[in-house]
Amino acid sequence: MDDIVVGIDVGTTKVCTLVGRVEAERIRILGVGIEPSEGIRKGVIVDLKAASQVITRSVRKAEQTSGVEITGAVVSLAGAHVSSINSRGVAAVSGDTIDEVDIARALDAARAVAIPHNREIIHIVERGFSVDGQDGIQQPVGMHGYRLEVEAHIITAAQATVENLRQSVGEAGVEVIQFVLNPLASGEVVLRETERQQGVAVCDIGGGTTDLALYVEGHVWHTMVLAVGGNHVTNDIAHGLRLPIPQAEEIKKKHGYALRSGVGAEETFKVQSFGAEGPIEFSRHDMAHIIEARVEEIFALTLQEIKRSGYDGLLPAGMVLTGGTSALPGIRQLAAQVLGMPVRTARPENLVGLVDALQSPAYSTSIGLLHYASALAEEDAPPGHRARNRRPKQDSRLDLSAVKNWLKRLLP
Ligand SMILES: Nc1ncnc2c1ncn2[C@@H]1O[C@H](COP(=O)(O)OP(=O)(O)OP(=O)(O)O)[C@@H](O)[C@H]1O
Ligand SMILES: [Mg+2]
């Protein structure tokens, strides 16, 4: 059973448990359990009991479809309580050349920054090295030098919030092996290696959160979670057109468009509203107006965050959009307009196994968790197997062994 991996994506709109089997070049999906969320708002658990029940149902479904008993899983994490800082760590090189132990000591020094006791470290990502003052070293192992410095990106989360999530998953009889920040899981699935090397932003717009990660020179340099997403768009429609939320959600998915200029002024659709005599006619253009205002705001906030990071000049590959809300027609153009950079939308591809329900951008995080789980499983391999190489240069998202080696660098 060593090759079995499990991920639980605890989202604001759905909980998705996936069971996969790691094969030579890919992960085969064996089990799927998707349940509409309850007790989760803006990526954070607000009702322990309701959330535990939903997670349990999702886990049981995935167990039934896969025939695998789930005892441990990699679990997604998001919410406005997540924050990140960059830190430097220094270590004196112990032998003639730099080895893994030296890197581990440098990372230890980087994580020794003052982190309040009520925060938990989720990831420590290496952004780059310098040896004896020489910057820009990608892979220092085997190099000669006396002083090794590492630039690390440290992602932390509110301990109490993390603990609630751990408890909810625990109620389903599942131990959390590792929490993974949403955009890092999504990035694993939707980014191409060439984009990562050039500099790219991944933006996962879900129901309650917009998750952002910036990759420069192949590594994660900045991450951010905004507490706004597709649910806000639905609420705006419900408010603007005076409809109940479920109906607003339905028409958004059916007739929604993110750009008002893309919809003719005469286009209409009909909705049977509660309490009304017959169906009411709505202007699709008006709805696009409502959607555009909110989505534009989301991208304006995202741009603000990218600028704040100081890496806005380092993203020639632009932005890759994913998450359920990226399915809105017209969103790519709107994003490109607001951000002033190239934008493409992406969803999980090249999946094998029980994949029918998963070919949507809403499942990028869920599939990405399996990639992380597989990297962790490999950590248990004998030390000789633990090639600590950088992600290779070729653009091959299917080459899992390469992904795994690189992912190990992200784990605390
Ligand atoms: N075809 C579509 N058009 C517009 N919006 C859509 C479409 N399909 C899904 N959505 C929206 O995507 C959102 C759900 O996305 P997703 O499943 O990625 O969120 P989540 O992972 O549950 O939440 P989060 O990651 O924010 O906690 C909902 O707001 C939904 O309305
Ligand atoms: Mg999500």
Side-chain angles (χ1 to χ4, degrees), residues 91-108:
V93 177
S94 47
D96 287 343
T97 57
I98 296 163
D99 60 16
E100 288 295 342
V101 178
D102 297 321
I103 293 182
R105 282 192 297 116
L107 280 173
D108 272 349

Side-chain angles (χ1 to χ4, degrees), residues 338-349:
V338 178
L339 300 164
M341 54 170 78
V343 178
R344 70 177 179 93
T345 54
R347 60 188 175 97
E349 281 171 21

Side-chain angles (χ1 to χ4, degrees), residues 130-339:
S130 74
V131 177
D132 294 353
Q134 172 71 53
D135 279 339
I137 308 278
Q138 293 264 315
Q139 172 52 283
V141 172
M143 284 188 173
H144 291 271
Y146 296 100
R147 177 187 157 94
L148 173 70
E149 264 183 273
V150 63
E151 275 280 356
H153 180 63
I154 300 179
I155 299 170
T156 68
Q159 206 164 44
T161 312
V162 172
E163 208 42 60
N164 287 337
L165 184 53
R166 192 178 275 121
Q167 189 182 329
S168 297
V169 173
E171 301 275 335
V174 181
E175 188 195 341
V176 178
I177 299 170
Q178 159 84 32
F179 287 110
V180 177
L181 193 68
N182 278 4
L184 299 190
S186 302
E188 267 323 296
V189 171
V190 300
L191 294 182
R192 301 177 182 133
E193 179 56 24
T194 45
E195 291 173 327
R196 252 186 280 250
Q197 290 296 337
Q198 283 176 4
V200 71
V202 59
C203 184
D204 182 314
I205 314 183
T209 65
T210 293
D211 315 311
L212 182 72
L214 308 186
Y215 290 75
V216 181
E217 292 174 8
H219 303 284
V220 179
W221 279 28
H222 187 76
T223 48
M224 173 76 188
V225 178
L226 297 165
V228 55
N231 288 350
H232 297 78
V233 178
T234 303
N235 287 342
D236 292 349
I237 295 171
H239 195 250
L241 304 183
R242 293 165 197 239
L243 285 169
I245 298 278
Q247 263 185 316
E249 173 74 12
E250 195 187 319
I251 62 168
K252 177 182 83 171
K253 288 185 178 164
K254 228 167 158 179
H255 307 287
Y257 207 89
L259 268 182
R260 157 171 64 128
S261 58
V263 182
E266 69 298 337
E267 283 189 56
T268 56
F269 60 90
K270 286 187 175 150
V271 177
Q272 180 61 55
S273 186
F274 296 122
E277 294 265 308
I280 311 176
E281 195 168 73
F282 289 102
S283 150
R284 193 167 172 233
H285 187 267
D286 287 352
M287 183 164 74
H289 196 164
I290 297 173
I291 297 174
E292 180 179 325
R294 179 62 80 168
V295 177
E296 193 176 358
E297 186 202 20
I298 293 178
F299 288 125
L301 289 169
T302 307
L303 181 63
Q304 206 176 43
E305 181 58 28
I306 292 175
K307 289 205 165 134
R308 205 176 61 86
S309 77
Y311 304 135
D312 46 326
L314 302 178
L315 308 169
M319 177 178 282
V320 179
L321 272 183
T322 194
T325 298
S326 74
L328 260 177
I331 197 166
R332 194 195 65 74
Q333 293 90 319
L334 179 60
Q337 265 177 31
V338 178
L339 300 164

Side-chain angles (χ1 to χ4, degrees), residues 21 40-41 46 151 163 174 199 202 280 293 335 363 375 401 403 407:
R21 188 173 63 228
I40 301 155
R41 220 171 282 157
V46 293
E151 275 280 356
E163 208 42 60
V174 181
V202 59
I280 311 176
Y363 296 100
S401 57
V403 174
L407 279 172

